[in-house]
Amino acid sequence: MIPSPHIALDQWRALIAVVDAGGYAQAAEALHKSQSSVTYAVQKIESVLGVRAFEIHGRKAALTPTGHMLYRRALALVNEAGDLERVARKLSAGWEAEIGLAAEVLFPPVLLLDALARFGAEAPGTRVEVIESVLGGTGEALLGGQAEIALTPHVPPGFLGVPLINVRLLAVAAPSHPLHRLGRELGEKDLRSWRHLQVRATGSTRDRRTTTIEVEQRWTFSSMAMSIAAACAGHGFAWYPEAHIHAQLAAGRLKPLQLGGAEERFIDIYLVQADPDFAGPGVRRLAEILMAVSAEAGTPRGAADAA
């Protein structure tokens, strides 16, 4: 049998408020309670546990080492209770009103739209906000609470990722580009002499080491569509997901560069949920559909084959 707690959530909230507000009087004002009730709540915790949470220095209450531990655990407890209440309200009201989906731009658009169409047919009343991101932006949307689901090549620490699909990238340039006129297998030195087209990372911290190759000339765009348009116009070369340039390759507007096998790169995309334990029915169903459409599409020849 699970023992019943002797300290109520309101008493833990009072302790948190004293710390956050900087004193008993300020905490009472923030909680819209009397100072005596806040003082009693903290004293109740101390008496039940047989510890001292605060030491009074002048007119200010300071945490003891034990108080620091209680504060951290109280925050986790109150936040967990709040999460539980929010999920319960979602379940009682049916599917969520809105779901945030952070999608790495490398994920094939046709698969994303297929998944959204299937989900929309099942849950027409649920809005989906798609946050398109590049590199670090997907993880930041997840960590910042903007997205319940992320499709990302990098699983943030503390999260679990389900492998979805292996994306194939091709190094390409317009057929008229001077690199194609060399008529031989190209090397890194050849690429360094020409402009590299790149899509800017959407994360707040942009690491310059994420560039695919060091070159003297580079254009960086905010969208992949603009970067692809620049490549088709002959302004440079780049590695693009094959699914994004299928039409341009078929029409002859882009042509793969001959790099002795280095023209191919493979990146795994994972599905990550912000909080699987507290996910609502809509988030769970959208995750299931994303996994289903990815499985139906099959995994392109991946890193294991290229090794």
Side-chain angles (χ1 to χ4, degrees):
M1 183 177 179
I2 300 175
S4 299
H6 295 90
I7 301 171
L9 279 176
D10 279 346
Q11 292 167 335
W12 287 119
R13 289 191 182 99
L15 183 145
I16 293 170
V18 172
V19 177
D20 291 346
Y24 287 91
Q26 299 93 321
E29 184 178 352
L31 295 173
H32 304 290
K33 293 185 176 182
S34 66
Q35 184 173 340
S36 60
S37 66
V38 173
T39 302
Y40 174 78
V42 175
Q43 289 175 345
K44 176 72 172 179
I45 294 173
E46 293 178 325
S47 63
V48 168
L49 301 180
V51 298
R52 290 291 303 276
F54 293 97
E55 293 176 339
I56 304 301
H57 298 290
R59 300 180 63 182
K60 192 169 183 180
L63 283 172
T64 64
T66 300
H68 280 287
M69 181 275 292
L70 292 176
Y71 173 73
R72 291 194 302 270
R73 298 297 294 271
L75 272 178
L77 177 64
V78 170
N79 288 335
E80 190 81 1
D83 288 341
L84 182 58
E85 290 174 5
R86 283 190 291 273
V87 171
R89 283 195 293 269
K90 283 182 181 179
L91 292 174
S92 66
W95 284 25
E96 300 91 321
E98 184 170 332
I99 295 173
L101 171 62
E104 168 67 41
V105 71
L106 297 175
F107 191 78
V110 65
L111 298 187
L112 180 59
L113 294 175
D114 186 8
L116 291 174
R118 296 190 196 186
F119 180 76
E122 294 184 24
T126 298
R127 299 185 296 272
V128 179
E129 181 181 1
V130 179
I131 305 167
E132 293 183 281
S133 56
V134 181
L135 300 174
T138 311
E140 287 188 9
L142 195 70
L143 293 167
Q146 298 169 287
E148 285 76 34
I149 299 175
L151 309 178
T152 174
H154 306 295
V155 180
F159 292 84
L160 296 176
V162 177
L164 279 187
I165 195 167
N166 187 252
V167 176
R168 181 187 185 216
L169 283 75
L170 283 177
V172 296
S176 60
H177 195 280
L179 283 169
H180 287 302
R181 298 177 190 168
L182 295 178
R184 57 174 172 79
E185 187 175 290
L186 305 174
E188 187 173 323
K189 290 184 179 179
D190 296 311
L191 299 182
R192 286 178 179 172
S193 301
W194 301 98
R195 183 180 297 112
H196 180 214
L197 307 175
Q198 188 169 289
V199 181
R200 179 182 295 111
T202 53
S204 60
T205 55
R206 296 171 183 160
D207 190 345
R208 293 188 180 274
R209 291 173 298 177
T210 58
T211 56
T212 54
I213 188 171
E214 287 301 324
V215 293
E216 295 180 4
Q217 302 178 61
R218 176 175 287 114
W219 285 358
T220 302
F221 297 92
S222 297
S223 72
M224 185 171 292
M226 193 64 182
S227 179
I228 292 173
C232 291
H235 295 301
F237 72 93
W239 275 265
Y240 295 122
E242 187 176 18
H244 290 63
I245 56 172
H246 177 77
Q248 289 83 356
L249 290 170
R253 298 180 64 199
L254 289 176
K255 180 180 176 182
L257 296 171
Q258 300 303 312
L259 298 173
E263 66 272 11
E264 291 183 317
R265 295 179 177 180
F266 297 90
I267 297 178
D268 290 318
I269 302 294
Y270 298 86
L271 184 147
V272 182
Q273 292 191 48
D275 194 344
D277 293 333
F278 291 105
V283 170
R284 293 197 301 270
R285 182 57 185 144
L286 180 54
E288 290 172 357
I289 292 174
L290 285 163
M291 288 187 280
V293 298
S294 298
E296 291 168 10
T299 302
R301 184 171 66 84
D305 299 312

